[in-house]
Amino acid sequence: MIVNERETEEGLLVAVCDADVLGETFESGEISLTVTEEFYGGDEVDERAVVESLARADVANIVGTRAVELAVEEGFVDEANVLEVGSTRHAQLLRLY
């Protein structure tokens, strides 16, 4: 998986995607999701590193079947809030303090 972390005014933004979806566009009805290098590009890491990044995130965007599955398994995202977009999955995380 690929992780990109950046500090924003709202806190730590983490973008996670499966390596095989980077650069792809997925569509479902009126929804179009492009997994750009600019936003999602970063370091290829193992699952432990993804979990550590998501644990620190104030906001996260997660794309890809395995990345979203891991976020659900680890309790960061509720399965009911996962979107199916074309042949992939997408979820967002927002921590409110």
Side-chain angles (χ1 to χ4, degrees):
M1 282 175 263
I2 298 172
V3 172
N4 182 323
E5 294 185 359
R6 59 178 74 82
E7 284 294 335
T8 69
E9 291 181 14
E10 291 77 29
L12 182 64
L13 169 63
V14 174
V16 179
C17 71
D18 291 352
D20 64 338
V21 301
L22 189 63
E24 299 292 326
T25 297
F26 301 92
E27 296 182 348
S28 181
E30 294 185 17
I31 298 172
S32 179
L33 172 65
T34 301
V35 188
T36 63
E37 175 74 34
E38 179 182 39
F39 188 81
Y40 288 94
D43 299 321
E44 193 152 351
V45 299
D46 62 17
E47 291 184 356
R48 179 188 52 77
V50 171
V51 170
E52 289 172 0
S53 287
L54 290 174
R56 292 191 307 271
D58 295 297
V59 178
N61 286 279
I62 309 155
V63 180
T65 302
R66 181 61 195 134
V68 170
E69 184 178 271
L70 180 62
V72 170
E73 287 171 3
E74 294 293 328
F76 295 110
V77 174
D78 188 310
E79 181 72 39
N81 296 320
V82 174
L83 295 176
E84 301 285 337
V85 183
S87 62
T88 197
R89 304 177 86 205
H90 173 61
Q92 293 181 313
L93 165 71
L94 173 62
R95 283 207 173 79
L96 301 174
Y97 299 99

mmCIF file of all heavy atoms in Angstrom, residues 2-4 6 14-17 22 33-43 61-63 90-91:
data_model
loop_
_atom_site.group_PDB
_atom_site.id
_atom_site.type_symbol
_atom_site.label_atom_id
_atom_site.label_comp_id
_atom_site.label_asym_id
_atom_site.label_seq_id
_atom_site.Cartn_x
_atom_site.Cartn_y
_atom_site.Cartn_z
ATOM 1 N N ILE A 2 0.307 2.323 -0.442
ATOM 2 C CA ILE A 2 1.035 3.582 -0.521
ATOM 3 C C ILE A 2 0.404 4.566 0.456
ATOM 4 O O ILE A 2 -0.823 4.702 0.513
ATOM 5 C CB ILE A 2 0.991 4.135 -1.959
ATOM 6 C CG1 ILE A 2 1.677 3.139 -2.895
ATOM 7 C CG2 ILE A 2 1.651 5.503 -2.026
ATOM 8 C CD1 ILE A 2 1.540 3.473 -4.349
ATOM 9 N N VAL A 3 1.258 5.256 1.212
ATOM 10 C CA VAL A 3 0.800 6.225 2.207
ATOM 11 C C VAL A 3 1.442 7.579 1.923
ATOM 12 O O VAL A 3 2.636 7.658 1.644
ATOM 13 C CB VAL A 3 1.162 5.776 3.638
ATOM 14 C CG1 VAL A 3 0.869 6.872 4.642
ATOM 15 C CG2 VAL A 3 0.421 4.514 4.017
ATOM 16 N N ASN A 4 0.625 8.620 2.026
ATOM 17 C CA ASN A 4 1.099 9.986 1.915
ATOM 18 C C ASN A 4 0.554 10.735 3.122
ATOM 19 O O ASN A 4 -0.651 10.753 3.340
ATOM 20 C CB ASN A 4 0.594 10.617 0.613
ATOM 21 C CG ASN A 4 1.099 12.031 0.415
ATOM 22 O OD1 ASN A 4 1.220 12.813 1.345
ATOM 23 N ND2 ASN A 4 1.389 12.358 -0.824
ATOM 24 N N ARG A 6 0.517 14.472 5.195
ATOM 25 C CA ARG A 6 0.842 15.894 5.117
ATOM 26 C C ARG A 6 0.112 16.641 6.220
ATOM 27 O O ARG A 6 -1.033 16.312 6.555
ATOM 28 C CB ARG A 6 0.526 16.465 3.742
ATOM 29 C CG ARG A 6 -0.914 16.342 3.320
ATOM 30 C CD ARG A 6 -1.217 16.958 1.963
ATOM 31 N NE ARG A 6 -0.766 16.235 0.809
ATOM 32 C CZ ARG A 6 -1.383 15.217 0.244
ATOM 33 N NH1 ARG A 6 -2.480 14.740 0.758
ATOM 34 N NH2 ARG A 6 -0.918 14.655 -0.840
ATOM 35 N N VAL A 14 -3.947 11.966 5.958
ATOM 36 C CA VAL A 14 -3.320 10.734 5.482
ATOM 37 C C VAL A 14 -4.100 10.231 4.277
ATOM 38 O O VAL A 14 -5.323 10.107 4.328
ATOM 39 C CB VAL A 14 -3.285 9.657 6.595
ATOM 40 C CG1 VAL A 14 -2.774 8.337 6.058
ATOM 41 C CG2 VAL A 14 -2.437 10.130 7.769
ATOM 42 N N ALA A 15 -3.383 9.956 3.198
ATOM 43 C CA ALA A 15 -3.971 9.353 2.005
ATOM 44 C C ALA A 15 -3.357 7.967 1.855
ATOM 45 O O ALA A 15 -2.136 7.825 1.874
ATOM 46 C CB ALA A 15 -3.694 10.203 0.778
ATOM 47 N N VAL A 16 -4.200 6.954 1.733
ATOM 48 C CA VAL A 16 -3.746 5.570 1.612
ATOM 49 C C VAL A 16 -4.417 4.951 0.388
ATOM 50 O O VAL A 16 -5.626 5.141 0.180
ATOM 51 C CB VAL A 16 -4.142 4.736 2.855
ATOM 52 C CG1 VAL A 16 -3.696 3.287 2.704
ATOM 53 C CG2 VAL A 16 -3.597 5.340 4.131
ATOM 54 N N CYS A 17 -3.633 4.223 -0.398
ATOM 55 C CA CYS A 17 -4.240 3.489 -1.504
ATOM 56 C C CYS A 17 -3.483 2.192 -1.753
ATOM 57 O O CYS A 17 -2.309 2.069 -1.400
ATOM 58 C CB CYS A 17 -4.293 4.326 -2.781
ATOM 59 S SG CYS A 17 -2.713 4.636 -3.578
ATOM 60 N N LEU A 22 -3.210 3.303 -7.985
ATOM 61 C CA LEU A 22 -2.606 4.613 -8.196
ATOM 62 C C LEU A 22 -2.616 4.948 -9.684
ATOM 63 O O LEU A 22 -2.202 4.151 -10.521
ATOM 64 C CB LEU A 22 -1.176 4.627 -7.653
ATOM 65 C CG LEU A 22 -0.496 5.997 -7.613
ATOM 66 C CD1 LEU A 22 -1.254 6.938 -6.672
ATOM 67 C CD2 LEU A 22 0.944 5.866 -7.158
ATOM 68 N N LEU A 33 -13.889 8.877 -9.228
ATOM 69 C CA LEU A 33 -12.775 8.946 -8.288
ATOM 70 C C LEU A 33 -11.480 8.671 -9.039
ATOM 71 O O LEU A 33 -11.298 7.589 -9.597
ATOM 72 C CB LEU A 33 -12.969 7.898 -7.179
ATOM 73 C CG LEU A 33 -11.816 7.692 -6.210
ATOM 74 C CD1 LEU A 33 -11.588 8.947 -5.375
ATOM 75 C CD2 LEU A 33 -12.107 6.508 -5.299
ATOM 76 N N THR A 34 -10.597 9.666 -9.077
ATOM 77 C CA THR A 34 -9.293 9.503 -9.705
ATOM 78 C C THR A 34 -8.237 9.463 -8.615
ATOM 79 O O THR A 34 -8.156 10.370 -7.784
ATOM 80 C CB THR A 34 -8.998 10.648 -10.688
ATOM 81 O OG1 THR A 34 -10.013 10.650 -11.689
ATOM 82 C CG2 THR A 34 -7.640 10.457 -11.346
ATOM 83 N N VAL A 35 -7.463 8.408 -8.597
ATOM 84 C CA VAL A 35 -6.433 8.195 -7.577
ATOM 85 C C VAL A 35 -5.131 8.796 -8.123
ATOM 86 O O VAL A 35 -4.332 8.117 -8.749
ATOM 87 C CB VAL A 35 -6.278 6.699 -7.249
ATOM 88 C CG1 VAL A 35 -5.359 6.507 -6.054
ATOM 89 C CG2 VAL A 35 -7.642 6.063 -6.970
ATOM 90 N N THR A 36 -4.957 10.098 -7.899
ATOM 91 C CA THR A 36 -3.837 10.816 -8.501
ATOM 92 C C THR A 36 -2.536 10.614 -7.734
ATOM 93 O O THR A 36 -2.532 10.461 -6.510
ATOM 94 C CB THR A 36 -4.121 12.327 -8.566
ATOM 95 O OG1 THR A 36 -4.255 12.833 -7.234
ATOM 96 C CG2 THR A 36 -5.376 12.621 -9.373
ATOM 97 N N GLU A 37 -1.440 10.657 -8.479
ATOM 98 C CA GLU A 37 -0.100 10.613 -7.889
ATOM 99 C C GLU A 37 0.093 11.814 -6.969
ATOM 100 O O GLU A 37 0.692 11.698 -5.899
ATOM 101 C CB GLU A 37 0.946 10.611 -9.007
ATOM 102 C CG GLU A 37 2.367 10.685 -8.520
ATOM 103 C CD GLU A 37 2.890 9.390 -7.913
ATOM 104 O OE1 GLU A 37 2.503 8.309 -8.381
ATOM 105 O OE2 GLU A 37 3.701 9.486 -6.967
ATOM 106 N N GLU A 38 -0.432 12.962 -7.375
ATOM 107 C CA GLU A 38 -0.270 14.188 -6.606
ATOM 108 C C GLU A 38 -0.835 14.052 -5.185
ATOM 109 O O GLU A 38 -0.231 14.511 -4.224
ATOM 110 C CB GLU A 38 -0.950 15.350 -7.330
ATOM 111 C CG GLU A 38 -0.865 16.661 -6.596
ATOM 112 C CD GLU A 38 -1.591 17.782 -7.322
ATOM 113 O OE1 GLU A 38 -2.681 17.528 -7.893
ATOM 114 O OE2 GLU A 38 -1.057 18.887 -7.328
ATOM 115 N N PHE A 39 -2.007 13.433 -5.061
ATOM 116 C CA PHE A 39 -2.650 13.321 -3.747
ATOM 117 C C PHE A 39 -2.277 12.045 -3.014
ATOM 118 O O PHE A 39 -1.980 12.068 -1.825
ATOM 119 C CB PHE A 39 -4.177 13.410 -3.898
ATOM 120 C CG PHE A 39 -4.893 13.504 -2.582
ATOM 121 C CD1 PHE A 39 -4.989 14.710 -1.916
ATOM 122 C CD2 PHE A 39 -5.478 12.383 -2.005
ATOM 123 C CE1 PHE A 39 -5.631 14.810 -0.695
ATOM 124 C CE2 PHE A 39 -6.131 12.462 -0.779
ATOM 125 C CZ PHE A 39 -6.208 13.683 -0.120
ATOM 126 N N TYR A 40 -2.289 10.920 -3.713
ATOM 127 C CA TYR A 40 -2.086 9.621 -3.068
ATOM 128 C C TYR A 40 -0.649 9.111 -3.149
ATOM 129 O O TYR A 40 -0.281 8.183 -2.436
ATOM 130 C CB TYR A 40 -3.023 8.568 -3.667
ATOM 131 C CG TYR A 40 -4.461 8.767 -3.255
ATOM 132 C CD1 TYR A 40 -5.333 9.491 -4.043
ATOM 133 C CD2 TYR A 40 -4.941 8.246 -2.057
ATOM 134 C CE1 TYR A 40 -6.649 9.695 -3.669
ATOM 135 C CE2 TYR A 40 -6.253 8.439 -1.669
ATOM 136 C CZ TYR A 40 -7.102 9.168 -2.479
ATOM 137 O OH TYR A 40 -8.407 9.362 -2.085
ATOM 138 N N GLY A 41 0.151 9.684 -4.032
ATOM 139 C CA GLY A 41 1.523 9.203 -4.194
ATOM 140 C C GLY A 41 2.334 9.408 -2.926
ATOM 141 O O GLY A 41 2.198 10.417 -2.235
ATOM 142 N N GLY A 42 3.157 8.436 -2.615
ATOM 143 C CA GLY A 42 3.966 8.520 -1.397
ATOM 144 C C GLY A 42 4.864 7.317 -1.283
ATOM 145 O O GLY A 42 5.379 6.818 -2.282
ATOM 146 N N ASP A 43 4.992 6.836 -0.063
ATOM 147 C CA ASP A 43 5.868 5.701 0.216
ATOM 148 C C ASP A 43 5.100 4.395 0.204
ATOM 149 O O ASP A 43 4.009 4.317 0.789
ATOM 150 C CB ASP A 43 6.532 5.871 1.591
ATOM 151 C CG ASP A 43 7.394 7.125 1.656
ATOM 152 O OD1 ASP A 43 8.073 7.425 0.656
ATOM 153 O OD2 ASP A 43 7.376 7.798 2.697
ATOM 154 N N ASN A 61 -8.137 9.677 3.644
ATOM 155 C CA ASN A 61 -8.816 9.194 2.445
ATOM 156 C C ASN A 61 -8.183 7.858 2.107
ATOM 157 O O ASN A 61 -6.949 7.763 2.010
ATOM 158 C CB ASN A 61 -8.620 10.172 1.284
ATOM 159 C CG ASN A 61 -9.460 11.405 1.463
ATOM 160 O OD1 ASN A 61 -10.641 11.395 1.167
ATOM 161 N ND2 ASN A 61 -8.853 12.476 1.960
ATOM 162 N N ILE A 62 -9.006 6.846 1.912
ATOM 163 C CA ILE A 62 -8.525 5.481 1.733
ATOM 164 C C ILE A 62 -9.177 4.898 0.485
ATOM 165 O O ILE A 62 -10.403 4.912 0.362
ATOM 166 C CB ILE A 62 -8.884 4.626 2.971
ATOM 167 C CG1 ILE A 62 -8.416 5.332 4.250
ATOM 168 C CG2 ILE A 62 -8.292 3.230 2.859
ATOM 169 C CD1 ILE A 62 -9.181 4.943 5.481
ATOM 170 N N VAL A 63 -8.341 4.395 -0.434
ATOM 171 C CA VAL A 63 -8.855 3.837 -1.688
ATOM 172 C C VAL A 63 -8.195 2.494 -1.957
ATOM 173 O O VAL A 63 -6.984 2.338 -1.765
ATOM 174 C CB VAL A 63 -8.586 4.767 -2.888
ATOM 175 C CG1 VAL A 63 -9.139 4.149 -4.169
ATOM 176 C CG2 VAL A 63 -9.177 6.135 -2.671
ATOM 177 N N HIS A 90 -13.818 2.891 -1.416
ATOM 178 C CA HIS A 90 -13.322 4.179 -0.930
ATOM 179 C C HIS A 90 -13.948 4.462 0.431
ATOM 180 O O HIS A 90 -15.132 4.201 0.647
ATOM 181 C CB HIS A 90 -13.695 5.287 -1.905
ATOM 182 C CG HIS A 90 -13.368 6.663 -1.423
ATOM 183 N ND1 HIS A 90 -12.101 7.076 -1.136
ATOM 184 C CD2 HIS A 90 -14.163 7.722 -1.183
ATOM 185 C CE1 HIS A 90 -12.115 8.334 -0.741
ATOM 186 N NE2 HIS A 90 -13.367 8.749 -0.753
ATOM 187 N N ALA A 91 -13.138 5.007 1.321
ATOM 188 C CA ALA A 91 -13.635 5.401 2.635
ATOM 189 C C ALA A 91 -12.905 6.656 3.082
ATOM 190 O O ALA A 91 -11.781 6.920 2.655
ATOM 191 C CB ALA A 91 -13.441 4.284 3.659
#
